[in-house]
Amino acid sequence: MRIGTEPVSKAEALDHGLSAEEFARICETLGRAPNLVELGVLSVMWSEHCSYKSSRRHLKQLPTSGPRVLQGPGENAGVIDIGDGLAVAFKMESHNHPSFVEPYQGAATGVGGILRDVFTMGARPIANLNSLRFGSFDHPRTRYLVNGVVAGIGGYGNCIGVPTVGGEVYFDAGYNENILVNAFTLGIVRNDRIFRAKATGVGNPVIYVGSKTGRDGIHGASLLASAEFSGEAEEKRPTVQVGDPFTEKLLLEACLELMELDAIVAIQDMGAAGLTSSSVEMAGRGGLGILLDLDQIPVREMSMTPYDMLLSESQERMLIVARAGAEEIVQGVFRKWDLDAAVVGSVTEDGLFRATFHKQEVVCLPVGLLTDDAPAYDRPANPPDDFDTLQVLRLDRIPPPGDYSQTLLRLLDSPNIASKAWVYRQYDSLVRSNTIVGPGSDAAVLRVKGTHKGIALSVDCNSRYCLLDPYVGAMIAVVEGARNVVCSGGVPLGVTDCLNFGNPEKPAVMWQFTEAIRGIRDACVALNTPVVSGNVSFYNETDGRAIPPTPSIAMVGLLDQLEHHTTQWFKAEGDQIVLLGRTREELGGTEYLAIEHGQVQGAPPWIDLRVEKQVQQVCLQAIREGLVRSAHDVSEGGLAVCLAECCITGPDPHLGAAIELEGAIRPDALLFGESQSRIVLSVRKRQLGRLREIASAEDVTLTVLGEVRGRRLVISPLIDVDCEELARVYYNALPRRMAADAQPSS
């Protein structure tokens, strides 16, 4: 067995993903070359995935504090106060490259990892969301990847007993060679029982708990998630972790039980970079050191080396700094749950990360070198060469549809608009009995047991907008998430993000990233929704082809009274249908332009943040006063698609609508344009006067479109379709594509 204590060469450092300059800096700082085990530690801690070396300077622009924020970025999850002595802990993270290499385990372990991030804070997870991006259905691997990812998400979440209550799924050829799997979890925690990952107390024991360590996932963080793909994805399967949701369930319950006792000083999930990152990050937050005895690590494979043990990303493991003398308490709890619990080290005052194996010191590195002093780059950022060209859209060269009804049906058949029921029906969305509104409306709504409150959850990003203008596209991702929460009856409280981009060493990609950060910042400041946690995922490209920029935004909101929860579908004939907000003559970046004209072109719809806030305020006040029967934001596909969804997404029999549309703009923009800051409401006729008063007080445009009537959607004089036909197309679009004859192999 090679223990790995010999000095390494520059060539070995390059093979580990470090640059020549980074290796030279390490040697200068240490006064020597690192050995192989130390190189492994440095390579993961200095990887893009762990160090955020290309992004952390820019992330400082984001608003991260507020009166409700109990914990912002820098911990395992963000925490926001919801009153009554309770808080919500939540975070979203990516598992993109592993899911492309091995879709089932990649997606499953993504869910497992984000669950651990949340219960590490002391919170019991009550809901999962996901944001998924796949390639075109013309690509031979798309169906295989969709099937694997959806099965992995459902398999893990369903088994551990946490409902998957919402999400989003998009399809675009830009993801053909690099799919995105972003996983979100939210949990409930008492304000006085929030746990953090900050090591304190020199001499306190470091205790390893959970599953045994194997060789799965080695270099998952450094060489899989922090580098571009080549075409040989199959060769990287060994770097993908393997999950066990039943063990995770035991680990969750054991951790939460232990948290009720006076035993834990700090606790950290062993996620990316495994034992290394959990040890180093806890020591770094506390300004202390850690000494590990690797002979004490529970292992499931023979002849594991120090390198293997420190870099393994085996799942369902945690690291605890316990109070001195509490070792038996910790071990007793984990024995009860049939899990390993081994004292593997102690907190030290020397500021070093040290590890011994067979009585020999195999690692001795300054903690600061691995954390705060890791590289931080301000990379060149310039717009792509075709940016100005993409912004140009000549509306006079876009012919109007010959048949508006058929255009609406084609939009409802688009995989990006069509019902995602084929996906979410594979998830348990009701387990734990908190779900009030599950998948299929603007936002999920969950009860907070023991209170009258509810939590609203949404995840959003239109990557086509972000490709055309990342600043505006990122703003829209934030405001649409907030709008969805508002349409459900919630007040937006805060954001977690998952920022998915290509290679940051390319100026065009770095420009997309910096522009998206500006957009998120401006929107979050305007809406008072701080960013309390998140994740950056770079190097999402294969053979030099980057994904469209995809800054996914998960928005969390609060309903003070759960009875105010609202859904998007029409409720009763005779209700008046009202549009809040103004429609502009905009077609840039729309689904209509892509489906009907094969173009991804033009500036995305502009967003006025002041108007957006006013529209949201009108909707919220009307819901709180009991005026609103349904609320649905206008997004992809425009007003016509929004109205169709209001007709067909509720329970049978579907309710139709009689609409009279007037406007000075071209009809396809009126029907299918995606102007922002618009919400369709349905209200009883007698409530219309009060709704006008609320809108007038906020200076929000209100237009009465028509009324709920019959079983057809009639938008005079251009569209007249039976609701059953709308529903048939909308609900069959994904099943039809997934059942296509040409089934790919892996």
Side-chain angles (χ1 to χ4, degrees), residues 17 48 97 100-101 177-178 221-233 236 501-506 509 537-547:
E48 190 71 57
H97 287 181
F100 184 75
V101 173
E177 304 297 336
N178 200 127
S222 58
L223 298 186
L224 183 58
S226 300
E228 292 184 30
F229 267 161
S230 65
E232 288 74 38
K236 298 191 177 184
F501 291 82
N503 184 344
E505 298 165 52
K506 296 180 178 179
V509 169
S537 176
F538 277 133
Y539 295 100
N540 289 289
E541 55 183 88
T542 300
D543 295 330
R545 296 186 300 275
I547 62 161

Side-chain angles (χ1 to χ4, degrees), residues 616-688:
Q616 291 186 20
Q617 182 57 40
V618 170
C619 182
L620 264 179
Q621 186 173 343
I623 287 174
R624 285 171 169 172
E625 291 189 18
L627 310 181
V628 176
R629 304 266 270 175
S630 71
H632 189 20
D633 84 303
V634 183
S635 57
E636 287 85 358
L639 183 58
V641 165
C642 177
L643 290 166
E645 290 174 337
C646 291
C647 291
I648 63 177
T649 54
D652 282 331
H654 301 305
L655 292 172
I659 305 296
E660 295 282 345
L661 272 191
E662 297 179 359
I665 64 176
R666 50 186 289 161
D668 54 353
L670 194 62
L671 288 167
F672 309 122
E674 297 173 5
S675 294
Q676 294 297 297
S677 309
R678 295 185 297 166
I679 296 174
V680 168
L681 305 178
S682 66
V683 300
R684 293 179 178 87
K685 187 175 291 187
R686 67 177 182 271
Q687 308 284 21
L688 196 53

Side-chain angles (χ1 to χ4, degrees), residues 488-532:
S488 74
V491 177
L493 293 184
V495 161
T496 181
D497 57 32
C498 198
L499 309 178
N500 307 273
F501 291 82
N503 184 344
E505 298 165 52
K506 296 180 178 179
V509 169
M510 202 63 210
W511 176 82
Q512 292 173 335
F513 178 78
T514 57
E515 288 294 287
I517 290 289
R518 288 201 312 119
I520 295 169
R521 176 200 65 199
D522 289 354
C524 286
V525 168
L527 299 181
N528 298 316
T529 53
V531 180
V532 299

Side-chain angles (χ1 to χ4, degrees), residues 284-304:
R285 292 188 186 104
L288 294 169
I290 276 188
L291 171 63
L292 296 179
D293 179 357
L294 300 181
D295 293 305
Q296 305 307 314
I297 301 297
V299 294
R300 64 168 182 257
E301 299 185 39
M302 297 295 291
S303 303
M304 288 192 69

